[in-house]
Amino acid sequence: MKLCIALDLPSKEENLQLAKNISGLSTDIWLKVGFRSYIRDGVKFVKELQNLGFKIFLDLKLYDIPNTMADASEEIAKMGVDMFNIHASAGRVAMKTIMDRLSKYKKRPLVLAVTVLTSFDEKNFEEIYELPIATKANEFAKMSYEEGLDGVVCSAYESLDIKEITNDSFITLTPGIRPFGEDRGDQKRVADIDFATKAKVNFIVVGRPIYKSGNPKKVVEKIIQKLKEKK
Ligand code: C5P
């Protein structure tokens, strides 16, 4: 299981400071660049993080018509990031168009689909989809697998079922991780490292438990140590 840190701090300087602070700890830490920092700091910021030796997950959750999504995916591939995501609800045609378009790249990024946002609870989710979260998450995962995506973004609670209906090598990346049971914030379905390990999660995403702590470096060290023990 790998650690992916969400860089959601209020300024570029703070995000870079965090990245630099932990850059010596492990060669296997991924950084997640999301809306906030990408909108503000753009490609240049991504390059700076790459130059520090990190693998980058560009979390822009693309959602549009298939051709527009495929165009954007190509631009992302050209940036040289290692992983990005789309919303599974964009549908099968969008998935297929993206994967076809990326197939010409020798080294393409991993493509994940967001199944159900981890901030949803059953009541709010049902208002939109009229289905239980787990049912829809599994449907989205199956579709993503069938269309050749590399994996899905889901909650740790869905990971095991998704592996069963797809394949063990189909990636699950799970936000809403509170490594040692920290405060959940706005996340509804949170899990700790022990739970994620049992659920065969491939990537845990951790944001606030790291950057809101008094000592982010120490928390990252503790997480890495725990992940090593779980190997
Ligand atoms: O601070 P926290 O650990 O809750 O951060 C989780 C990160 O994962 C945030 O950047 C959030 O945008 C992202 N995310 C999520 N749920 C998803 C997909 C991404 O929380 N389904």
Side-chain angles (χ1 to χ4, degrees):
M1 195 160 69
K2 293 182 194 301
L3 169 65
C4 183
I5 302 174
L7 288 185
D8 293 331
L9 281 154
S11 71
K12 178 180 173 180
E13 291 66 36
E14 286 163 281
N15 280 326
L16 271 177
Q17 167 93 37
L18 173 61
K20 283 178 186 158
N21 195 7
I22 56 163
S23 67
L25 292 181
S26 159
T27 50
D28 213 15
I29 297 177
W30 289 58
L31 297 180
K32 184 175 88 65
V33 175
F35 282 159
R36 187 179 197 175
S37 39
Y38 191 73
I39 288 169
R40 189 187 52 224
D41 306 319
V43 183
K44 203 167 160 268
F45 174 58
V46 172
K47 293 281 170 229
E48 286 180 75
L49 298 173
Q50 286 170 323
N51 289 340
L52 289 172
F54 291 103
K55 296 221 164 101
I56 306 297
F57 167 36
L58 192 60
D59 177 22
L60 298 182
K61 301 185 185 70
L62 305 185
Y63 185 94
D64 209 309
I65 57 171
N67 184 61
T68 304
M69 288 177 77
D71 286 344
S73 302
E74 280 205 65
E75 297 303 336
I76 290 170
K78 287 179 205 160
M79 278 168 65
V81 301
D82 304 279
M83 181 157 73
F84 74 98
N85 59 358
I86 66 169
H87 268 291
S89 53
R92 209 178 267 288
V93 179
M95 291 177 184
K96 187 176 175 349
T97 312
I98 289 167
M99 297 319 286
D100 283 352
R101 205 72 92 67
L102 292 182
S103 64
K104 66 175 180 238
Y105 291 85
K106 262 202 195 102
K107 197 186 158 289
R108 68 159 177 82
L110 296 169
V111 186
L112 307 184
V114 177
T115 56
V116 176
L117 295 171
T118 42
S119 53
F120 267 121
D121 60 15
E122 292 289 350
K123 186 174 165 285
N124 292 321
F125 187 75
E126 188 130 10
E127 248 174 31
I128 303 171
Y129 285 101
E130 295 175 356
L131 277 174
I133 290 174
T135 310
K136 198 68 212 172
N138 286 351
E139 278 178 24
F140 278 146
K142 196 156 175 284
M143 185 191 293
S144 309
Y145 177 67
E146 286 167 359
E147 298 308 330
L149 268 71
D150 302 291
V152 286
V153 182
C154 60
S155 96
Y157 295 91
E158 289 125 31
S159 174
L160 210 50
D161 276 357
I162 287 172
K163 297 270 180 183
E164 261 167 41
I165 58 171
T166 61
N167 188 302
D168 250 5
S169 62
F170 191 63
I171 295 168
T172 55
L173 175 143
T174 63
I177 297 295
R178 298 297 176 253
F180 306 102
E182 296 89 339
D183 181 46
R184 63 177 54 214
D186 62 344
Q187 299 283 17
K188 296 287 192 317
R189 292 170 298 136
V190 299
D192 61 17
I193 291 179
D194 290 327
F195 187 95
T197 307
K198 285 187 196 123
K200 297 186 179 173
V201 167
N202 299 96
F203 289 88
I204 52 167
V205 176
V206 186
R208 284 164 287 185
I210 293 173
Y211 66 77
K212 292 256 184 199
S213 78
N215 191 340
K217 189 172 178 182
K218 203 158 174 217
V219 178
V220 174
E221 273 172 338
K222 213 173 139 199
I223 295 173
I224 290 171
Q225 183 55 35
K226 178 98 181 176
L227 294 183
K228 270 191 196 145
E229 287 164 18
K230 293 278 170 193
K231 255 189 185 164

